[in-house]
Structure formats: C-alpha cells, structure tokens
Amino acid sequence: MLFVRWILRHPFTVMCCAIVIVLSIVGFASSTYDWGWQVLATGQEDVFRHHRWWGLITAFLAVDGGGALIFVVPFIVVVVGAAEQLMGSWRTAIAYVGGSAASGLIGFGLSWVESTYLGFLPLNAPSIEALSPATGVICAAMAASSFASALWRRRIRLGASFIAVTLFLYSGGAGDFYSLVAVPVGLVLGFALGGSRSKFRLIRSSHHEIRTLLAAVVALGSIGPVVAALIGSGSGLLSIYGLLAVDVDHPRTALIGLLPVAVGVVAAWGILRGRRAALWLAVCIQVMMSAVMLGVFVVIQPETMTAIAEQANEEVDPYIWQTLTGSALCAILPLASAALLILLRKHVDVRPSRASAKRFLVITLSALAGTALISFVGILSISDQFRPVPTALDILRALPLRLIPHTFVISDGLAFVPTTHWAHKVWSLPAGLFWAAVLTASCLLVLGRTAVIDDDDRVRARAILERGGGHTLSFMSTWPGNSFWFDEVSDAAVAYRVQGFVAVAVGGPFGPAFADPQVVERFVRFCGDHGWTPTFYGVDDATIETFAGLRWQRLKVAEEAVLRPRDWNPTGKKWQDIRTAVNKAGRAGVVAKWTSWRELSLLQRSQIQAISEAWVAEKNLPEMGFTLGGLDELVDSSVRLMLAIDAEGTIVAVTSWLPLYGTDDAGQPRVNGYTLDFMRRRTDAANGTMEFVIAAAVEQAKSDGLEILSLSGAPLANAAPESSTLDVRGSVVAQILDYVGRSLEPAYGFRSLLNFKKKFQPEFVPLWLLYPDTTDLPAVGAAIGRCYLPRLSVVQLSGLLRDLRPKPTQEAHREPAA
C-alpha cells in the first residue's frame, strides 16, 4: 500500500525510470544486433552534423550497460523523487528534461571552444558519445534546492556540486562535463520556476561556512583518487591518480592506498566540527601527497618531454601534454590546499586535550619506528629476491618510500624492486601497517576530548546562579560533567555537555540575565564556532519565549509537576491518599526531618547509602545521570534533605531538594523554591511513606514562605495526550517516544512516577527539547542518551534491548521506588 501511494505521488519519477530502462535496453540491443536504430545518437557530430536533435534528450535518458543501469535507477528514484516531492511533478519534469537539453547545448558549445582553442590540453573526453542521466538528476536537484528549507538548500547544492566537480576532475568524460554544467543551469531553473532566491542563513557562526568549505576541499582531495582508481584511466585533469592507484599484479595490496584516503576523510570530518588537530592532520596529508606527486612528475617529465621532442615536426598527441600537466597539477593542488588550510586555521579553533595529542604522537611515532624496523629487517633478510640486490645502506635510503602505498611509487625511480611474491609482500606490508596505525590514531584524536573542565569555571557559575534567575533545572548545572559558557555581555551562563558533536544544554541560561534572548543567540554562535550542534533540554513554558527568535523545532520530553506551597491545603476527596499516608505514618511513629547531608551523623549517611545501593541493585541498568542526581549530588550544602525516620531512628525514606534561586521584592538574591531530585525508600518501608515525605516537604516550604516547589519532570511520560496541532513529523516522533517510554517502564518506572505525582494535584508543565532541525534529532537523541547513561556497558545495553520489548501488563500505577 505504501509503495502504491509513493508511485501515485511521484508520477514523473516513475515515468523517468521507465524511460531510462526502456531506452537503455533498446539502445544496447540496437548496437549489439545492428538494428540500425539511432535512438542513442548522442555525440556532437550526430546532433549538429547529422541533425539527430533528439540526442539532446535521449543522451540524458539512457545508460550504456546493465551494470550502470543498476546504479542509475535507484539514484533517480532517490534524488528525482525527493525533487518531485519538493517542487511538484511539472517543475521536476521541466528541470530534468529542459535542464538536460540546456546543459547539453552549453556543453557542446564549450566542448567546441575547447577543441578549437585548447586542443593542446583536453580538459575532458571529446563528445563522441555521452550517456549521462546524472546531468538531469543534478539539474533537478539544484532546481529543487530553491524550494527547500535553508538548511536543506545548502546541503543539496553542496552535495550536487561536490559530485559534479569530483567526476569532472577525476573522470573527465563528456557526460561528467555536462553534469558540471548542470549545476548552474539547475540553479537558474530553480529561480525561474518560482523557487526562493533568499540567501542561505543558519543560526551559527560564519566560521561554520568556512569550515564547511575547508572540509569539502579536504574530502574532495581524499575521495577523488578513489573515483579515479575505480574509473582507471579517465580524461580528467586529475585522472593520473587512476593510473597510479591500480596494481594489476597485486590487486589486494592496492587496497592499502585506501588507508590514507580514510585518514583524509576523518580529517575532513574533524575540520567540519572545528577540530584544530584535524586541520593539521589534513595539512600533513596534503603536503605528503604533493611530495609524492612531485616525485611522479620528476620521474615522468624527462620521458614525456622526449616524446614531445620526437613529435616536434608533427601534431603532438594532446594526451601527452595532459599527462605532464596533470602530474604537475596533482603536485600543486595539494600544496595549495595545505596553504589554504593554514591561512584559514583561525576558523578551526578547537584544541585537543593534551592526553589526546600525546596519544596520537605515541601511536604515530611507534608505528613509524616499528614499520621502519620491519621493512629494514624484512628486505635485508630476503635481499636476494630484489633486483638489483640492495645493500643495507640502499635499504635505509629507501625507507621513506616504504611508508607510501606502493601504487603511488613509480618503479622507474626506485633503486631496487621486488621480483617474487614474498618480496612484494615485504615491500608493501609496512605502508599498510603504518597507515592503519595512523588511521586509528587519527580517529582517537579527532573524536577525543577537547574541553577540560576548570574548577574556577564551576565556582564562577555557582556565583552567577546564586545571584538569582533561572529555572527549576538550573541548579543541576553545578553538577560534575558539565562545561560552562559565560556570556561576556550580560550576567548569565549556560551549562552544557558535549556528546559526539552535540552540545546538550541543561535547560536554558541561568543568572540575572537568563531571560535575555541574545544570551541564547550568543551561546548558539559559540557552539557553531566549536563545530557543535546546540540543543536545549528541559526548557519550560515560562522561558520558552526566550528561544522564539531561533525558530527551532521543539519536542515535549517530560512533564514537570509544580506545586504552589502557599496554596497547599490537602482537603477534599482528591487528597484522600495523601491524608491517609500522613495519618498512617503518624500512628507508626514515623517523623519527618528537614536537614542537609552535612548535618547527618555517620550512621544516618550510611543508612542513606544502603537505601540507594539496594535500589540500584534491583535495576538491570545503572543509575541515570545528567538531570537525575545520585548520592554524589546530596553532599552540596545548599541541597536540602527531607527524611522519614521511624520510631527506632532508622531512615526509611529520603528525598533531596535542589534550590531555585530568585530575588525578593527588593531585588536581593534568595531561594524562592526547591526542585525534587533524589528519591529513595527502603524496600520494607510501608506503603505511603513517600507520600508522607513529600507532603512534609510541601508543609516545610509553606512555612518558609516559598513560592514554588517542583516535583521535577518525568521523562518519556505525558500527563495528557499530545495536542492535535502537532505536524506529521512531530506526531511520528511523539509516537516513537511514547513507545520507548512504555518499553522502558519496567526498567525505570517513569510513568509510574508520573502517576504517583498526580496524587498531589500539581500543575503539569511541559518540558521541551529545542533543536535546530528535524534532521538533527537522531544525533541529538543519541547525545542525550549518552548524557543520561555515559557508562552503559555492553551487558547493560543488551538488558536495555530486552526491556525495549513492549510489556503493557507491567505498567502499573504503583508507588515509585525512585
């Protein structure tokens, strides 16, 4: 049913795929069986001299083989299908067909100029025959980008341009040239068809755009040689990589050449995320590649110049010039890329930790020494299997070449070469070991820690917090594991945790200027400078307007139960359970005590520790962190405890309360309320004990004249159904979260906790997750999961997966154990 619905919504995509399949089969059969049909007469001569004008269209609606058809049809389904969804069927048809024809005409014209005036240096293969549906696909994608959101507009344009430039430089076929022309043609068509002409804007620092450019340059230089190697001998200016990356005699060892490529991709990813270490890694790779290609140029230059001299009295084969120019260009471009990276290094400013940098150096230098030793001993031990037989000095001189994949080393410039199978293994193995070690070290360096928490920052953040201003989660910002950003303009700060490349802020800003929207904007810019995706977790309705200027997506992640102590009056039928619990505790001799950790005796502390450890032992999963405190968070002198102590002096239940700082009528800082955090009871405690403890806390807050008492939020649980005004994406995500909440109920009991809080008749306030774009949600979700469970083991993860199975019968309205 879903497949049929997709077909009905994408008629042009379906028709395009059908035409490509039919024309490709007909064209292949016609050329094979000599039927004389000229359906695929697509070359420049066919179109202009023989007036087969249909070639301008059929050239972009067929491929030249079954293998290509297997890749092209899914490509059309994904890209053209997405374009049709963005701008409709008729616009997509115009963009694909009209854009292909326009690209072909322009491409033919430019090819004529090239062959007439630049014949000595062909930039791409001549347009004898060009079958390239990719041209129409890129046209449709570029046109559709004008109908996409700002975020996807940039992604589509960058992706299409990246593919087109890579194919042109490293392959250089006529179809690749048309695909390159299709980039501006599709862009113009998008504007002409009514697309948006607004400039791309993203709520991040402008540094991000520069990092994206640098990352694209590094990625292009890394992936391009792979494209050239797959093609073999192309006609692009950089296609010489294809000649160097192929080893017909030893194809498996040629895979070693992919390791430096992988290091380059890791470096590009790190640059995109602002990692300075990744930038210097990329610089080293570019310089090394330049040196290698310079060696290739030095080796082939005399032979090439000799061939040119021998053809002095006749027309020189232009591809001889292309070989010479291409090798020189391959040596110059990496050096230029390295210079560009160095000049713009200030935009990539996240330093690695000392531990990460030291680990990288240790691994790299150890691999360097180890592979050099292996190479020297290995070649020396079987030196008779090389020609000429090398001496120990010859081997030492050639050791730097052993770190380079052997396919990039021209044999004409070597002092000795292997002659047997085992000699070739010893010859190529060191490079593989070295680059595997460098790849491992690079991943650890780029993905390693970058922020070091300074105790001075924590003291400064605490001072800002206590000056007043914030929300019910603000005190959690003082917990270990948080980094701090301080606003240089106003008296405010943000606590955040970085997981992967996502910065998860604990609620919103705190401090006297916490409600200033510009504080949020400056923090978002700070995250952009460091290559992080910012997100705010646990924002309440009272401060949601502070974030309105971002125009971000939001998702309800919890319900916060809020009480007003001044209005506390547990009378009436709704309060029956609370009154019963209080009366039962009184008859049993259980009393409440409002205290702090420092005021407790050693025996009382040990009792609380025993209660907590017993609770943890019952769980298949560890205690959550982030916004859920444990024993470590009780020791703060500002955290208050409400204990239930039985007649024998034994603590049977404990709750902790985090202060909410505000100001009084005179503007002086004070504690305006508390937020419930830690909540544990003994396994043998009587039912109703926890209700008694919380009721006692509310009475205490009322007597102290406090304004608010939060029972905190219940993650993945809702007090009421989601509003029907949510869009489709929001509804789907909400359903997923609802499923996860039901599945995790046996493990953590969030919904039971929510039902327990309902007994106190609170005001339920939604807590929101704010994030830039829907596409960021998977990464944001994973980052929040790591914030809550940073040390989740494999065994515990398997337990979590078992708990994710629906168990509807286990969702009971029971008193929570936490």
Side-chain angles (χ1 to χ4, degrees):
M1 188 65 180
L2 184 63
F3 177 70
V4 174
R5 189 182 306 168
W6 188 92
I7 291 177
L8 295 176
R9 291 180 178 178
H10 302 82
F12 175 77
T13 303
V14 175
M15 182 178 65
C16 184
C17 290
I19 293 174
V20 168
I21 294 173
V22 172
L23 278 182
S24 299
I25 294 174
V26 170
F28 179 74
S30 177
S31 60
T32 302
Y33 300 105
D34 195 21
W35 290 349
W37 298 351
Q38 302 296 331
V39 176
L40 302 182
T42 60
Q44 191 168 338
E45 292 286 327
D46 291 313
V47 173
F48 291 101
R49 180 167 295 182
H50 301 293
H51 305 293
R52 294 163 181 160
W53 302 106
W54 60 84
L56 282 174
I57 304 300
T58 58
F60 310 106
L61 289 171
V63 294
D64 57 359
L69 199 61
I70 294 175
F71 292 100
V72 166
V73 172
F75 187 46
I76 294 175
V77 169
V78 173
V79 180
V80 179
E84 189 169 3
Q85 186 171 350
L86 280 173
M87 59 179 179
S89 299
W90 70 270
R91 287 191 179 95
T92 306
I94 293 175
Y96 190 103
V97 179
S100 296
S103 299
L105 282 173
I106 296 173
F108 285 151
L110 294 177
S111 295
W112 176 83
V113 172
E114 176 195 340
S115 61
T116 303
Y117 299 103
L118 298 174
F120 64 92
L121 179 60
L123 300 177
N124 54 274
S127 181
I128 299 174
E129 183 179 82
L131 300 176
S132 178
T135 302
V137 173
I138 290 178
C139 265
M142 291 298 294
S145 69
S146 297
F147 295 84
S149 64
L151 185 64
W152 277 104
R153 188 181 310 145
R154 174 182 166 276
R155 290 173 177 173
I156 293 171
R157 291 173 181 176
L158 184 62
S161 301
F162 180 85
I163 292 173
V165 170
T166 301
L167 290 175
F168 175 72
L169 289 178
Y170 291 95
S171 173
D176 302 320
F177 180 57
Y178 300 150
S179 297
L180 184 64
V181 175
V183 172
V185 169
L187 191 61
V188 172
L189 276 175
F191 298 151
L193 292 172
S196 172
R197 302 191 185 192
S198 61
K199 295 182 179 180
F200 170 75
R201 295 183 65 188
L202 187 63
I203 307 177
R204 290 183 183 176
S205 167
S206 59
H207 299 320
H208 178 76
E209 298 302 322
I210 298 177
R211 288 200 303 269
T212 301
L213 172 63
L214 296 178
V217 169
V218 174
L220 179 63
S222 301
I223 298 175
V226 178
V227 176
L230 293 175
I231 295 171
S233 179
S235 302
L237 286 175
L238 304 183
S239 60
I240 191 172
Y241 284 116
L243 298 174
L244 297 175
V246 176
D247 189 343
V248 179
D249 298 327
H250 305 88
R252 291 184 180 179
T253 57
L255 295 177
I256 295 174
L258 293 178
L259 294 175
V261 172
V263 174
V265 172
V266 171
W269 175 254
I271 290 172
L272 185 63
R273 295 300 179 176
R275 303 298 192 259
R276 176 65 67 86
L279 182 140
W280 289 116
L281 179 63
V283 168
C284 292
I285 295 174
Q286 298 295 328
V287 171
M288 185 207 70
M289 184 60 69
S290 179
V292 170
M293 298 311 299
L294 181 62
V296 172
F297 176 80
V298 170
V299 171
I300 69 171
Q301 188 265 350
E303 182 179 348
T304 305
M305 294 304 295
T306 301
I308 293 174
E310 291 176 351
Q311 301 180 26
N313 298 325
E314 56 187 64
E315 185 177 355
V316 180
D317 185 352
Y319 289 99
I320 294 180
W321 281 109
Q322 187 185 41
T323 302
L324 186 65
T325 307
S327 60
L329 190 61
C330 287
I332 295 173
L333 284 182
L335 205 58
S337 298
L340 181 65
L341 290 169
I342 294 173
L343 288 174
L344 299 178
R345 66 186 183 278
K346 66 178 181 179
H347 300 283
V348 186
D349 199 37
V350 184
R351 267 75 171 182
S353 65
R354 291 184 178 180
S356 298
K358 182 178 179 180
R359 180 173 52 195
F360 175 82
L361 290 176
V362 169
I363 295 176
T364 303
L365 293 178
S366 299
L368 180 64
T371 52
L373 180 61
I374 292 173
S375 179
F376 179 80
V377 174
I379 295 176
L380 188 62
S381 62
I382 55 171
S383 59
D384 58 329
Q385 298 183 31
F386 292 85
R387 290 293 181 272
V389 177
T391 65
L393 184 59
D394 293 332
I395 299 173
L396 284 174
R397 290 173 177 172
L399 280 182
L401 295 178
R402 301 284 59 76
L403 302 179
I404 303 172
H406 70 281
T407 52
F408 286 89
V409 179
I410 302 297
S411 58
D412 294 344
L414 297 175
F416 56 94
V417 293
T419 59
T420 65
H421 175 75
W422 284 109
H424 192 276
K425 292 289 185 183
V426 174
W427 181 260
S428 57
L429 179 62
L433 295 176
F434 174 75
W435 283 104
V438 172
L439 177 60
T440 302
S442 301
C443 291
L444 294 175
L445 178 65
V446 171
L447 301 178
R449 286 185 175 271
T450 58
V452 179
I453 305 301
D454 190 346
D455 289 339
D456 292 339
D457 286 350
R458 194 174 306 282
V459 173
R460 180 182 175 187
R462 182 62 173 264
I464 294 176
L465 176 67
E466 292 179 352
R467 285 198 286 270
H471 45 86
T472 54
L473 301 184
S474 292
F475 192 83
M476 298 175 184
S477 64
T478 65
W479 291 352
N482 290 327
S483 301
F484 299 98
W485 170 83
F486 300 100
D487 190 15
E488 298 179 355
V489 179
S490 60
D491 193 12
V494 176
Y496 65 93
R497 301 189 183 197
V498 177
Q499 294 291 344
F501 295 109
V502 177
V504 184
V506 184
F510 59 88
F514 78 102
D516 185 356
Q518 294 183 0
V519 174
V520 172
E521 294 176 3
R522 286 190 286 269
F523 174 73
V524 170
R525 192 176 305 119
F526 162 79
C527 292
D529 290 344
H530 287 73
W532 301 327
T533 299
T535 183
F536 295 88
Y537 181 84
V539 177
D540 58 22
D541 278 347
T543 56
I544 196 70
E545 290 300 321
T546 306
F547 304 85
L550 297 179
R551 297 183 179 179
W552 280 6
Q553 304 292 322
R554 68 176 182 175
L555 180 67
K556 186 165 71 174
V557 292
E559 292 271 11
E560 183 180 23
V562 177
L563 299 175
R564 307 294 175 181
R566 295 175 180 177
D567 300 329
W568 173 262
N569 186 18
T571 58
K573 184 176 181 181
K574 293 182 178 179
W575 298 93
Q576 182 62 47
D577 290 343
I578 306 300
R579 292 196 304 272
T580 299
V582 171
N583 294 333
K584 183 178 179 180
R587 290 193 300 268
V590 177
V591 296
K593 183 177 182 179
W594 185 248
T595 184
S596 67
W597 183 263
R598 293 185 178 182
E599 298 172 358
L600 299 177
S601 66
L602 182 60
L603 177 61
Q604 289 175 322
R605 292 180 184 179
S606 64
Q607 289 177 359
I608 294 175
Q609 290 171 349
I611 292 173
S612 181
E613 290 171 0
W615 181 87
V616 174
E618 295 175 354
K619 303 296 180 181
N620 293 327
L621 298 175
E623 284 186 282
M624 286 186 171
F626 191 37
T627 61
L628 299 173
L631 276 173
D632 293 339
E633 284 69 42
L634 302 185
V635 300
D636 194 297
S637 59
S638 297
V639 174
R640 303 297 296 178
L641 305 178
M642 180 60 79
L643 309 178
I645 304 176
D646 65 13
E648 299 178 357
T650 301
I651 297 176
V652 294
V654 56
T655 57
S656 72
W657 299 85
L658 311 179
L660 172 61
Y661 293 99
T663 56
D664 57 18
D665 295 337
Q668 296 300 315
R670 58 159 289 183
V671 175
N672 285 340
Y674 285 96
T675 299
L676 175 64
D677 177 36
F678 188 91
M679 187 164 59
R680 303 280 192 273
R681 66 181 179 88
R682 290 173 58 94
T683 55
D684 58 352
N687 290 335
T689 300
M690 197 58 69
E691 286 91 334
F692 163 73
V693 174
I694 294 179
V698 181
E699 292 286 356
Q700 181 69 39
K702 183 177 181 179
S703 65
D704 292 341
L706 300 183
E707 298 175 359
I708 185 173
L709 202 70
S710 170
L711 301 185
S712 196
L716 302 176
N718 291 321
E722 287 287 341
S723 171
S724 60
T725 60
L726 283 175
D727 60 14
V728 175
R729 290 178 299 177
S731 299
V732 171
V733 175
Q735 292 174 12
I736 294 174
L737 292 178
D738 181 72
Y739 171 79
V740 174
R742 285 187 285 109
S743 301
L744 283 177
E745 179 62 20
Y748 285 110
F750 291 135
R751 298 187 171 210
S752 299
L753 180 62
L754 180 67
N755 290 325
F756 166 76
K757 294 176 181 179
K758 288 181 180 179
K759 297 180 181 181
F760 298 90
Q761 310 303 315
E763 171 190 357
F764 282 103
V765 177
L767 295 180
W768 301 98
L769 167 68
L770 302 179
Y771 53 98
D773 188 82
T774 303
T775 56
D776 296 320
L777 196 55
V780 169
I784 293 174
R786 296 305 299 175
C787 287
Y788 274 112
L789 296 169
R791 293 177 292 274
L792 187 66
S793 67
V794 175
V795 175
Q796 292 165 341
L797 179 60
S798 65
L800 173 61
L801 294 177
R802 288 195 303 268
D803 288 333
L804 281 175
R805 292 176 297 182
K807 303 179 182 67
T809 59
Q810 296 187 18
E811 185 176 339
H813 293 248
R814 62 183 184 275
E815 181 182 344

